[in-house]
Amino acid sequence: MSGDEPAPILRTERLTMRFGGLAALNELDLDVREGDIHAIIGPNGAGKTTVFNCVMQNLRLTGGRIWFRGERLDGLTPDRVAEAGVSRTYQNIRLFRNITAIENLLVGMHLHLRSHWWGALLHSPSTRLDERRAHEEALKLLSFVGLKGRGDVLARNLAYGEQRRLEIGRALATRPKLLMLDEPTAGMNPSETSEMIEFVRRTRDLFGVTILLIEHQMRVVMVMSDVVTVLDYGVKIAEGPPAQIRQNSKVIEAYLGRSSASLTPAGRRAIERMSERPVESDGGA
């Protein structure tokens, strides 16, 4: 990094995570610039979700360090990481299914409520004011995620795409500076996928958050990302803008096999066209 470039909002230095003899991550250096949509891709088992779990401190690192806005994250508890301004979603939706949509958002807001338990017991004026402000903010978030007027619907009764957006809304309710999305288009049809791409962009622009995402659909990555990091067996094999990643022989080899590294120019162009094809024309995940 040159002296004129701002410090990254998230930085990992030689991040290592071992499970027994298996290195899920091996000395990973990762810089995420503030304001970017930064994608992490790679074949199954490459270590993508392990990165998220390490950043959130759901896993204790085997080695390395994690910096967020100039402060160390490694060694903190997950709730302290959330308080620092990091939030995430999951590949498998983890809403509270048996409470309403607005209640899910209010759960996410608990980090920023100023009232205490005794205020709730006494129903003090400050507690009532705190609750009213939280409710107003939750209504705005409901509108943003496309659920205006549906706050009283149980989360389990929402359509799949609505549940995805609600989970992102709950993550936004913690007022993060870094939002980590784990396969936000998983299980979506082409139309829903296109809507999610626009929704993620709006989220970045309107809330001023940096987005770090894991995504398995290459076409989505190429359309949405500013920077792409490619992992293979826990090692970073490539990083750069989407156009550069699309032509990287190591990336092609990791995804399609060793023989693909020597593709003819025509074969390479076919792969490039595949990743440039509009998402709407994709018949599956």
Side-chain angles (χ1 to χ4, degrees), residues 105-264:
L105 296 180
L106 290 169
V107 167
M109 291 175 183
H110 78 278
L111 285 176
H112 302 286
L113 296 180
R114 293 187 293 273
S115 53
H116 301 285
W117 64 268
W118 57 84
L121 283 176
L122 299 172
H123 207 52
S124 66
S126 62
T127 298
R128 292 198 300 270
L129 178 60
D130 215 18
E131 290 175 347
R132 185 165 65 250
R133 287 173 174 167
H135 193 266
E136 290 170 356
E137 186 175 345
L139 288 175
K140 291 177 182 177
L141 273 175
L142 274 176
S143 180
F144 174 73
V145 301
L147 292 173
K148 184 177 181 179
R150 306 197 66 198
D152 293 332
V153 178
L154 293 178
R156 69 169 185 261
N157 293 332
L158 295 172
Y160 180 80
E162 292 174 330
Q163 290 186 28
R164 279 278 175 202
R165 294 195 302 275
L166 178 61
E167 188 180 34
I168 294 175
R170 188 180 62 185
L172 288 170
T174 68
R175 302 177 190 169
K177 297 298 183 183
L178 174 68
L179 177 60
M180 302 194 300
L181 305 178
D182 193 344
E183 299 211 14
T185 68
M188 291 187 171
N189 63 38
S191 175
E192 291 171 329
T193 297
S194 296
E195 290 173 4
M196 180 57 72
I197 290 172
E198 293 308 314
F199 178 72
V200 171
R201 285 172 172 160
R202 288 200 312 273
T203 298
R204 188 265 306 268
D205 295 341
L206 293 179
F207 288 86
V209 295
T210 303
I211 292 177
L212 182 63
L213 69 90
I214 296 168
E215 181 53 61
H216 70 285
Q217 292 198 60
M218 288 292 287
R219 284 183 283 278
V220 172
V221 170
M222 296 301 163
V223 167
M224 187 162 48
S225 308
D226 299 301
V227 178
V228 181
T229 297
V230 188
L231 302 182
D232 191 25
Y233 294 106
V235 175
K236 181 167 70 175
I237 62 171
E239 186 172 77
Q244 176 182 317
I245 293 300
R246 189 167 56 227
Q247 301 176 37
N248 188 292
S249 60
K250 289 183 179 179
V251 177
I252 295 170
E253 180 181 328
Y255 271 95
L256 301 178
R258 188 169 302 277
S259 61
S260 302
S262 56
L263 284 172
T264 64

Side-chain angles (χ1 to χ4, degrees), residues 28-62:
L28 173 64
D29 291 335
L30 179 68
D31 283 357
V32 178
R33 297 181 309 208
E34 188 166 8
D36 274 358
I37 297 178
H38 189 130
I40 300 177
I41 67 172
N44 290 338
K48 304 181 294 296
T49 297
T50 303
V51 174
F52 277 26
N53 289 334
C54 287
V55 171
M56 289 303 302
Q57 291 295 281
N58 299 123
L59 295 171
R60 291 299 179 186
L61 313 184
T62 306

